[in-house]
Each structure stands twice: as structure tokens, then as C-alpha cells.
Amino acid sequence: MIEARKRRGQNMSNGAATRVRRSREKILAAAEQAFLHNGFLGANMDRISEHAGVSKQTVYAHFQSKEALFLEVIAAMTGGAAHDIGEDVEDRLDDRPVGDYLATVAIDQLRVVMTPRLMQLRRMVIGESERFPALGRALYENGPKVSIRRVGRALAHYIALGQIRPCDPDRAAQQFNWLVMGAPTNAAMLLGDSGIPSRAELQAHALEAVRIFLAAYAMPGFTGDRAAPGAT
């Protein structure tokens, strides 16, 4: 009897936790759309609660203020992008050619980041930088900084393998990151969604960025060449 009561209590607790989690996810999804389309000032908490299908009191029970909700949306979006790229876990580094590794990283990063959703996020963060100066730092630390740290760790590995010449791996990783991301991001930021290159264009750009990087950093006699994904 006691065990049965414990199980019922646990099931009720699990069910309540699930409802709280789902409610929070609905609020974040509704808030993301509101902030991306209307900015911080234009987003309305009544509309957010309506679109989430919860009461306004429920929104404030999860997030104490509009500012707290805004910051949580930014954190969720940048963290989700890092997860999609695989930057929230450490790579398994082996003896595959450095060109293979870098091309995979570059193509995956461009595929995830160069989307209307994340470009809207970047524009919004820039637009709200005066009101929320910590936003730019949060975006950098959850985005480029994570990418740079990941590639820096890999470059240190490839230096040890003799595929990359001795250098500061973190500095080289920073140069690689902006070689990959600079031009496509700049076009999307200034030209809007129409400036986002096609998937084929992004892949070609990624492979060219790797080629240029290796021309500067590969050990003499090692090219690290690779074929485009799907090529025979």
C-alpha cells in the first residue's frame, strides 16, 4: 500500500514537471517569434501569453520580467544552434586529414548559422545592444567563441600530428572562423534574407575557405585536400 502511494505520488510529480516544462517551451517559442518580428519594445507580453496558450500570470511565474524572458530566448536560440552544430560536445580527434575535419566543421557551421532565424537574432541583438549591452557578449560566447575554442583544440591536435605548422592554435582558429563566416554573414546582415547564399554556394565557400587556410597553415608537403561531400 505504501509503495503504491509512493508510485502514485511520483507519477503525479512527473506529470506536473512535464506540464511545467511544456508550458515553458510554449512560452519561449511564442516569445521568440514576438521578439524576432517586433524587437524588444514591440513585443507584447499579452500577445505572447495568448500565442503560447497560457495565462499572463503563468508567463510571469516562469519569467519574472519581459527582460528575463528576452534574455532566456537569446540563450535558448544560441544554445540550440551550438547543439545543432555539435559544438556543445568535444570532437573525437583522430588521424583523418585536417582538411576533412575543417571542411566538415565549416559546412556544418554555415548550414546551421546561415538561416533567416539566426540572422534575425543577430540583427535583433545589434539593435538592442544599447539597452542590453550583455547581449552581444552572450551571443559571442555562445556562438563564435565556442566555434573558435573547438577548432583551436583540433588545430593543436593536428600540430602534434605534423599536419599543421607550429602556431598559436587559438589565433589560427579565430582566423579560420572569420574566413568561413565573414563574407556570408556580412551579406546576410546588410542584404537581409535574400543575401543568404544557397546551400551549394555555402558548401563551395566552405571548401574554398579551407583551401585558403591550409595554404597558410599546412605543413610543407601536406595539402589536406578533400573532395566536396558527395563527390566521387
Side-chain angles (χ1 to χ4, degrees), residues 10 29 34 61 69 75 87 98-99 118 157 163 205 230:
Q10 185 176 13
L69 176 56
E87 291 177 347
V98 63
L118 287 180
H157 168 76
Q163 296 185 21
H205 171 75

Side-chain angles (χ1 to χ4, degrees), residues 84-164:
D84 290 342
I85 300 171
E87 291 177 347
D88 56 344
V89 297
E90 288 192 349
D91 293 316
R92 293 182 178 179
L93 299 172
D94 49 33
D95 60 353
R96 62 176 161 160
V98 63
D100 283 4
Y101 171 83
L102 291 176
T104 298
V105 168
I107 291 170
D108 286 349
Q109 187 170 330
L110 287 167
R111 174 183 56 82
V112 171
V113 175
M114 297 305 302
T115 63
R117 177 174 176 263
L118 287 180
M119 288 300 101
Q120 288 173 8
L121 169 65
R122 185 179 289 265
R123 295 186 200 105
M124 180 176 66
V125 168
I126 291 174
E128 299 292 349
S129 60
E130 290 295 325
R131 192 186 319 277
F132 299 101
L135 277 183
R137 178 173 295 277
L139 182 60
Y140 176 77
E141 290 183 348
N142 285 291
K145 186 176 180 179
V146 176
S147 301
I148 292 166
R149 185 169 59 244
R150 175 193 183 191
V151 173
R153 176 176 172 268
L155 290 179
H157 168 76
Y158 284 110
I159 291 170
L161 289 183
Q163 296 185 21
I164 294 293

Side-chain angles (χ1 to χ4, degrees), residues 32-227:
E32 177 184 314
Q33 292 300 313
F35 287 129
L36 288 182
H37 287 95
N38 303 303
F40 177 79
L41 288 179
N44 183 284
M45 294 294 273
D46 290 316
R47 294 281 182 84
I48 290 173
S49 64
E50 179 182 344
H51 291 164
V54 301
S55 68
K56 190 174 180 180
Q57 288 76 12
T58 299
V59 174
Y60 281 108
H62 284 279
F63 307 96
Q64 294 183 346
S65 65
K66 183 179 178 181
E67 290 83 356
L69 176 56
F70 183 63
L71 293 173
E72 189 69 23
V73 166
I74 302 301
M77 291 182 70
T78 54
H83 175 76
D84 290 342
I85 300 171
E87 291 177 347
D88 56 344
V89 297
E90 288 192 349
D91 293 316
R92 293 182 178 179
L93 299 172
D94 49 33
D95 60 353
R96 62 176 161 160
V98 63
D100 283 4
Y101 171 83
L102 291 176
T104 298
V105 168
I107 291 170
D108 286 349
Q109 187 170 330
L110 287 167
R111 174 183 56 82
V112 171
V113 175
M114 297 305 302
T115 63
R117 177 174 176 263
L118 287 180
M119 288 300 101
Q120 288 173 8
L121 169 65
R122 185 179 289 265
R123 295 186 200 105
M124 180 176 66
V125 168
I126 291 174
E128 299 292 349
S129 60
E130 290 295 325
R131 192 186 319 277
F132 299 101
L135 277 183
R137 178 173 295 277
L139 182 60
Y140 176 77
E141 290 183 348
N142 285 291
K145 186 176 180 179
V146 176
S147 301
I148 292 166
R149 185 169 59 244
R150 175 193 183 191
V151 173
R153 176 176 172 268
L155 290 179
H157 168 76
Y158 284 110
I159 291 170
L161 289 183
Q163 296 185 21
I164 294 293
R165 65 177 175 81
C167 62
D168 180 339
D170 292 328
R171 184 176 180 82
Q174 185 176 52
Q175 292 171 343
F176 177 73
N177 183 79
W178 297 115
L179 186 62
V180 171
M181 299 303 301
T185 301
N186 193 50
M189 290 297 294
L190 296 177
L191 302 177
D193 292 350
S194 64
I196 298 176
S198 68
R199 189 180 185 91
E201 290 171 333
L202 289 175
Q203 179 170 298
H205 171 75
L207 296 178
E208 180 67 1
V210 171
R211 186 192 68 78
I212 294 170
F213 180 82
L214 291 179
Y217 281 97
M219 285 290 286
F222 183 86
T223 62
D225 288 341
R226 64 162 284 163

